[in-house]
């Protein structure tokens, strides 16, 4: 019995060594590929990120970037299109840092609530004027244009002017744009585009939007 146990232990040890060897070889190959890609990506410049799609997490991702930027000592400018009828958790939190973050919630609520296209267009135009002030300020390291895609989707703003202003921003300035229905032209000029997809959502099960999760 003891001999059987010893033999089984020896076999298990050999198998474990074999698994570790194969794993180490795979990781070595992967490291070589990753290292080569890193070596090829040495250019430093500001990037334009677009978070779109019907899934939850577009604005949340952008505000996660705000925390990263603040951690690196960067100044941040936030302009919220459409939103503004109610104060959100991110607004309440970021207003604690007035020296680092300029926060402008410049909408009046969801379009199905306002039901006033002319008024929505006026608010969007004012919001874009503020956005342009950020986009011409090299001291602002990150600009978040929350729900800009919605304003573009409903043609509250001139798309070509928006693209021109984004292209003319300071070289090292990063911009994060959020909202469903990002126009193809914006996707084309973006450096990174992420589409959030819905798999499950609590709201469809009758669970109300809750503080700290949805707003």
């Amino acid at each position: 019995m003891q001999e059987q146990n010893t033999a089984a232990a020896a076999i298990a040890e050999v198998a474990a060594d074999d698994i570790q060897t194969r794993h180490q070889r795979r990781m070595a190959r992967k490291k070589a590929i990753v290292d080569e890609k890193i070596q090829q990506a040495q250019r430093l410049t500001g990037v334009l990120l677009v978070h779109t799609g019907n899934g939850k997490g577009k604005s949340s991702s952008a505000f996660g970037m705000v925390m990263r930027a603040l951690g690196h000592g960067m100044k941040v400018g936030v302009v919220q299109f459409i939103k503004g009828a109610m104060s959100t958790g991110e607004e309440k939190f970021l207003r604690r840092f007035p020296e680092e973050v300029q926060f402008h919630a410049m909408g009046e609520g969801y379009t199905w609530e306002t039901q006033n296209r002319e008024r929505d267009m006026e608010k969007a135009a004012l919001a874009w004027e503020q956005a342009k002030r950020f986009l011409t300020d090299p001291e602002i390291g990150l600009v978040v244009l929350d729900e800009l895609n919605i304003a573009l989707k409903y043609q509250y703003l001139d798309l070509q002017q928006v693209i021109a202003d984004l292209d003319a921003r300071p070289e090292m300035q990063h911009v994060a744009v959020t909202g469903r229905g990002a126009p193809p032209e914006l996707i084309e000029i973006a450096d990174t585009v992420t589409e959030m997809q819905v798999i499950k959502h609590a709201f469809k099960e009758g669970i109300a939007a809750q503080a700290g999760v949805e707003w």
Side-chain angles (χ1 to χ4, degrees):
M1 185 66 177
Q2 183 176 357
E3 291 180 357
Q4 290 179 343
N5 290 340
T6 301
I11 292 172
E13 184 176 354
V14 170
D17 288 344
D18 190 42
I19 291 172
Q20 170 58 23
T21 299
R22 292 199 302 270
H23 174 77
Q24 190 172 19
R25 287 174 180 170
R26 286 197 301 270
M27 293 303 103
R29 290 194 297 268
K30 184 173 183 178
K31 183 180 186 307
I33 293 171
V34 172
D35 286 348
E36 182 179 358
K37 290 181 178 180
I38 292 174
Q39 185 61 35
Q40 293 172 355
Q42 295 295 312
R43 184 165 59 97
L44 296 177
T45 187
V47 294
L48 172 61
L49 303 97
V50 174
H51 306 312
T52 191
N54 294 332
K56 176 178 168 55
K58 298 177 288 294
S59 297
S60 300
S61 178
F63 285 112
M65 290 177 58
V66 171
M67 288 190 292
R68 286 179 176 173
L70 293 178
H72 287 287
M74 299 165 63
K75 292 188 177 181
V76 178
V78 177
V79 179
Q80 287 190 313
F81 296 78
I82 310 301
K83 296 176 181 176
M86 59 180 290
S87 182
T88 61
E90 54 263 30
E91 179 183 358
K92 291 176 180 178
F93 177 74
L94 292 175
R95 288 198 185 281
R96 300 176 187 176
F97 308 95
E99 298 299 320
E100 294 88 359
V101 183
Q102 298 181 55
F103 198 111
H104 297 267
M106 303 189 68
E108 292 184 333
Y110 299 114
T111 53
W112 60 83
E113 294 287 356
T114 60
Q115 301 180 17
N116 187 329
R117 176 177 173 79
E118 183 176 349
R119 177 67 176 174
D120 288 345
M121 291 181 69
E122 291 175 357
K123 298 296 291 185
L126 289 173
W128 189 250
E129 287 302 314
Q130 178 57 58
K132 287 198 293 185
R133 285 191 279 273
F134 288 148
L135 293 171
T136 55
D137 185 353
E139 296 298 315
I140 303 294
L142 171 66
V143 178
V144 173
L145 303 175
D146 192 31
E147 303 294 354
L148 172 60
N149 289 336
I150 301 299
L152 295 174
K153 176 182 178 181
Y154 287 111
Q155 299 181 340
Y156 292 167
L157 298 169
D158 181 85
L159 176 59
Q160 295 308 315
Q161 184 60 57
V162 167
I163 289 175
D165 291 337
L166 289 170
D167 280 339
R169 72 186 191 277
E171 182 180 3
M172 293 305 299
Q173 187 181 79
H174 307 300
V175 179
V177 176
T178 77
R180 302 183 180 199
E185 295 88 344
L186 182 62
I187 291 174
E188 178 66 26
I189 69 165
D191 299 289
T192 299
V193 180
T194 301
E195 182 177 9
M196 311 293 187
Q197 297 183 357
V198 178
I199 296 177
K200 293 179 70 176
H201 199 297
F203 184 70
K204 293 183 178 180
E205 299 300 322
I207 299 175
Q210 299 179 66
V213 178
E214 301 290 345
W215 50 274

